[in-house]
Amino acid sequence: MASKNKNVVSDKLENESVLPERSLSDIKNKDIRKQLYAKMRKQKKKDKIALKKRKKTEAKMLGDKAPPKQVPKTLENMRIKDETMVIPDDEEVIRDESQDEMASYFNRESTPKILVTSDDRINSKTRKFCKELARIIPNAMTMKRRGFDLKKIIPQAIEKEFTDLIVINEDRKIPNGMVICHLPNGPTAHFKLSSVQLSKEIKGVGEWTSHKPEVILNNFNTRLGHSVGRMFASLFPYDPNFQGRRVMTFHNQRDFIFFRQHRYIFRNSKRVGLHELGPRFTLKLRSLQKGTFNSKYGEYEWVHKRHEMEASRRKFHL
């Protein structure tokens, strides 16, 4: 009889070891579930720190024989190589860019003069955004659209020696598009505009001065990226005033272009900080057209095709 009871107990223990552990979601009491979840997170954090320390100690002990650090896989470093990627000092690219529409700016033969306009009957946020663009870009001014077609505005802007025309479009009372037309011969870029934040909407924002800003173009690596980057650069004066410590950054990441404006703050001889001045916005290129704006008969250098572009998440074009 005793041996039979022992067998039953051993069977129960075996079955219990096979059964899966209860998950936190099975616990019905909310307070107990919260406590156990917090305890689990704390333990995971401790284990992570302990693992880091152990790896660091092992690396010190091995010295030169230690294995190289593993680089985490991201969409950026797994990017499919594009045929149009530009290498530094590429003679063909240098020759082409010395003859393109922005060459006069980079040769310091022309001074940027920008006209900012928008759709008719725009919302207050779009109007304020246009004014902020005109404020942060030196030698820029705003103009009300008043029902004029862009084809009529462009010849007048060329007559008044404007070098670029920026048009802000809106949808459902939110700015959602930006057209940059380089004058007098183009090209014209159409961007999707999103995540617009005016300066007043940014916490702890600083006040900017009238100093000519420094422009940083980050990660524009292809021929198309170079063309877009040169368009952004040609909006600002060629010689920045470094005393003002103003910086305009256009950062390209996965074909999304993030704009930020900062001021350098020198905390001491070794540390430098950044104070954001605003506004913020994000651009995504929809098309690049040769010549000035022409929606009907324009010749397009590049057009975003959703079904082709999104076929691979590791293929980028800028």
Side-chain angles (χ1 to χ4, degrees), residues 273-310:
L274 291 173
H275 190 189
E276 190 169 357
L277 307 178
R280 295 177 183 175
F281 56 87
T282 305
L283 300 170
K284 188 169 177 69
L285 185 65
R286 289 303 183 198
S287 67
L288 185 67
Q289 185 183 19
K290 288 184 178 180
T292 55
F293 180 82
N294 191 330
S295 56
K296 276 190 178 181
Y297 306 108
E299 185 185 345
Y300 288 89
E301 290 185 40
W302 185 87
V303 179
H304 178 272
K305 294 177 182 175
R306 189 173 178 179
H307 63 281
E308 289 180 12
M309 305 303 171
E310 295 179 3

Side-chain angles (χ1 to χ4, degrees), residues 22-35:
R22 290 179 69 192
S23 65
L24 293 179
S25 57
D26 295 332
I27 299 166
K28 292 180 180 180
N29 190 304
K30 190 179 178 181
D31 294 330
I32 294 171
R33 193 167 64 242
K34 274 187 177 179
Q35 287 173 13

Side-chain angles (χ1 to χ4, degrees), residues 38-53:
K39 194 177 179 181
M40 185 183 73
R41 283 191 66 184
K42 196 174 180 181
Q43 187 59 44
K44 277 188 176 180
K45 196 175 179 180
K46 279 183 179 179
D47 293 343
K48 197 175 179 181
I49 292 165
L51 183 66
K52 273 188 178 179
K53 282 182 179 177

Side-chain angles (χ1 to χ4, degrees), residues 183-195:
L183 305 175
N185 301 314
T188 303
H190 178 215
F191 299 93
K192 180 185 175 183
L193 175 65
S194 60
S195 306

Side-chain angles (χ1 to χ4, degrees), residues 67-291:
K69 285 185 179 180
Q70 290 184 350
V71 179
K73 289 182 179 180
T74 63
L75 287 174
E76 281 82 8
N77 61 29
M78 292 170 68
R79 174 178 182 166
I80 296 170
K81 287 188 178 180
D82 196 300
E83 293 174 0
T84 63
M85 290 290 280
V86 177
I87 58 170
D89 303 322
D90 190 312
E91 290 181 8
E92 186 184 343
V93 175
I94 292 167
R95 187 175 64 252
D96 289 347
E97 289 181 351
S98 67
Q99 300 168 1
D100 71 1
E101 296 88 343
M102 272 75 73
S104 61
Y105 165 78
F106 286 96
N107 294 334
R108 307 189 190 193
E109 295 167 4
S110 63
T111 305
K113 186 181 177 184
I114 317 301
L115 180 63
V116 182
T117 187
S118 62
D119 286 337
D120 288 323
R121 298 178 184 178
I122 53 172
N123 188 46
S124 61
K125 183 165 184 176
T126 308
R127 191 177 295 109
K128 287 174 184 175
F129 180 60
C130 290
K131 285 180 180 177
E132 281 208 356
L133 277 182
R135 279 185 66 201
I136 65 171
I137 301 172
N139 207 18
M141 61 170 284
T142 56
M143 184 196 80
K144 288 183 180 179
R145 186 74 169 269
R146 294 174 185 168
F148 289 113
D149 192 40
L150 278 181
K151 289 177 186 177
K152 292 181 180 178
I153 293 172
I154 288 168
Q156 292 177 14
I158 294 169
E159 227 177 272
K160 292 178 181 178
E161 297 182 345
F162 284 99
T163 59
D164 291 272
L165 173 67
I166 298 176
V167 185
I168 305 299
N169 302 318
E170 78 165 24
D171 182 40
R172 297 177 186 178
K173 300 182 180 180
I174 296 171
N176 76 325
M178 181 186 287
V179 176
I180 301 176
C181 182
H182 187 69
L183 305 175
N185 301 314
T188 303
H190 178 215
F191 299 93
K192 180 185 175 183
L193 175 65
S194 60
S195 306
V196 175
Q197 279 187 281
L198 302 174
S199 297
K200 288 182 180 178
E201 297 171 348
I202 300 168
K203 192 177 179 181
V205 73
E207 280 290 328
W208 64 76
T209 60
S210 58
H211 293 89
K212 292 175 184 177
E214 180 186 352
V215 180
I216 296 174
L217 301 166
N218 189 25
N219 210 22
F220 293 88
N221 298 321
T222 63
R223 291 295 295 267
L224 178 65
H226 267 232
S227 298
V228 172
R230 283 168 73 83
M231 284 190 78
F232 290 137
S234 63
L235 297 173
F236 300 89
Y238 194 90
D239 296 306
N241 190 332
F242 292 106
Q243 289 180 344
R245 295 175 282 125
R246 276 180 76 196
V247 186
M248 306 284 186
T249 304
F250 292 90
H251 172 72
N252 172 46
Q253 188 171 351
R254 303 178 195 172
D255 288 348
F256 287 92
I257 302 162
F258 300 92
F259 173 83
R260 297 291 186 270
Q261 182 187 194
H262 293 93
R263 181 188 291 115
Y264 289 120
I265 297 171
F266 296 99
R267 303 191 192 282
N268 53 46
S269 58
K270 292 182 180 179
R271 290 182 62 205
V272 179
L274 291 173
H275 190 189
E276 190 169 357
L277 307 178
R280 295 177 183 175
F281 56 87
T282 305
L283 300 170
K284 188 169 177 69
L285 185 65
R286 289 303 183 198
S287 67
L288 185 67
Q289 185 183 19
K290 288 184 178 180

